[in-house]
Amino acid sequence: MSDETTPAADAIDTVTPGGSVGAVPAGTLRGADVVEVRTGLWGVHGTGDTTGFGGLVREVAMPGSSARPYGGYFDEVVDVLLEVLEETEPGLAARAVTGVVVDRDELTIEVAREHLVAVCRALRDDQDLRFELSLGVSGVHYPEAVGRELRAVYHLTSVTHGRRVRLEVAAPDADPYVPSTVGVYPANDWHERETWDFFGIVFDGHPALARIEMPDDWPGHPQRKDYPLGGIPVEYKGATIPSPDTRRSYS
């Protein structure tokens, strides 16, 4: 939203994500979230770039915080959520909700991981929210986003009100722990196992966190961006096909 809708000189008398209860100056929003800086074209490094774009430098950035009004039902969802959290414990709203992003007509609420379960329970149980269905948990890995490399993303749907919201939680590579939401959304059992399997996010409190796709003794987590590309040789009718990273090389 432009500054015309929310002048920096105004104040919002509400609980602002990442702020405090009361009159909070508008315009104090987080900027774009730079998760990677790419050089060259097609991600080629070293002498393999024959495109002539070797000097190209480009930031990969996720959208920053959005200014009010968010539009549609988004304002109501955020306001009710903050109100419920504040009623649960004074100051909880500002600690739990760290940002609100509206991009491509979708609402994303950024949540501090230690308060994830409380946020999910509020979204599920309040009569004005009723996000009773979780469509699963997915993982994202941004190796260059120091201190917040791993993201767990939750897609919630309100069948009652016909609404959708996305939750995003960040955790560092060195401390990849996020509370399990199985106690609130039991169907997340399988999805948390898959996210652990592929990304290495440890969901504290999960009833049986174990691999679900890869073999139990598989080393590492294959969908992390720092996982080595390649594969394993495949044998078929007497012929051996080498792994992808050894099939072709350039001098």
Side-chain angles (χ1 to χ4, degrees):
M1 296 295 178
S2 66
D3 290 339
E4 295 179 358
T5 57
T6 310
D10 292 345
I12 303 173
D13 190 14
T14 183
V15 182
T16 298
S20 58
V21 181
V24 180
T28 56
L29 302 174
R30 174 180 57 76
D33 184 10
V34 179
V35 297
E36 185 179 355
V37 178
R38 294 179 180 175
T39 58
L41 197 63
W42 314 119
V44 177
H45 301 284
T47 59
D49 188 351
T50 60
T51 66
F53 291 94
L56 183 65
V57 179
R58 181 169 63 91
E59 289 185 345
V60 179
M62 306 303 289
S65 299
S66 300
R68 291 175 178 272
Y70 303 131
Y73 61 81
F74 298 166
D75 291 271
E76 180 183 351
V77 168
V78 173
D79 289 343
V80 172
L81 173 61
L82 295 176
E83 181 182 349
V84 171
L85 292 174
E86 197 62 21
E87 291 175 351
T88 302
E89 177 185 335
L92 177 59
R95 297 194 305 271
V97 179
T98 60
V100 175
V101 177
V102 177
D103 184 57
R104 297 174 175 84
D105 296 324
E106 295 181 335
L107 173 64
T108 300
I109 300 177
E110 298 171 347
V111 180
R113 55 178 172 168
E114 59 268 26
H115 301 298
L116 173 63
V117 175
V119 170
C120 287
R121 188 173 290 114
L123 287 168
R124 183 194 66 180
D125 294 345
D126 186 81
Q127 63 181 1
D128 295 322
L129 296 172
R130 283 284 186 259
F131 286 91
E132 60 270 89
L133 174 63
S134 174
L135 298 178
V137 186
S138 54
V140 189
H141 186 221
Y142 300 116
E144 295 188 12
V146 179
R148 48 195 168 82
E149 296 91 345
L150 293 168
R151 314 288 173 91
V153 183
Y154 304 77
H155 306 271
L156 308 181
T157 297
S158 171
V159 178
T160 301
H161 300 296
R163 297 172 173 178
R164 294 187 180 185
V165 65
R166 179 188 297 109
L167 304 182
E168 182 174 309
V169 179
D173 274 341
D175 184 26
Y177 293 88
V178 172
S180 174
T181 58
V182 171
V184 182
Y185 297 111
N188 283 355
D189 185 332
W190 299 91
H191 298 280
E192 289 183 356
R193 286 182 59 189
E194 184 177 50
T195 303
W196 145 249
D197 193 356
F198 286 151
F199 291 92
I201 299 176
V202 181
F203 293 94
D204 277 333
H206 189 282
L209 193 62
R211 292 194 182 272
I212 193 171
E213 301 283 353
M214 308 303 294
D216 290 339
D217 59 350
W218 190 269
H221 304 280
Q223 287 192 355
R224 291 171 60 105
K225 291 183 181 178
D226 56 3
Y227 193 84
L229 296 176
I232 58 176
V234 177
E235 294 185 5
Y236 180 71
K237 292 187 176 180
T240 300
I241 302 174
S243 59
D245 60 338
T246 60
R247 293 178 193 175
R248 180 181 298 174
S249 63
Y250 299 95
S251 59

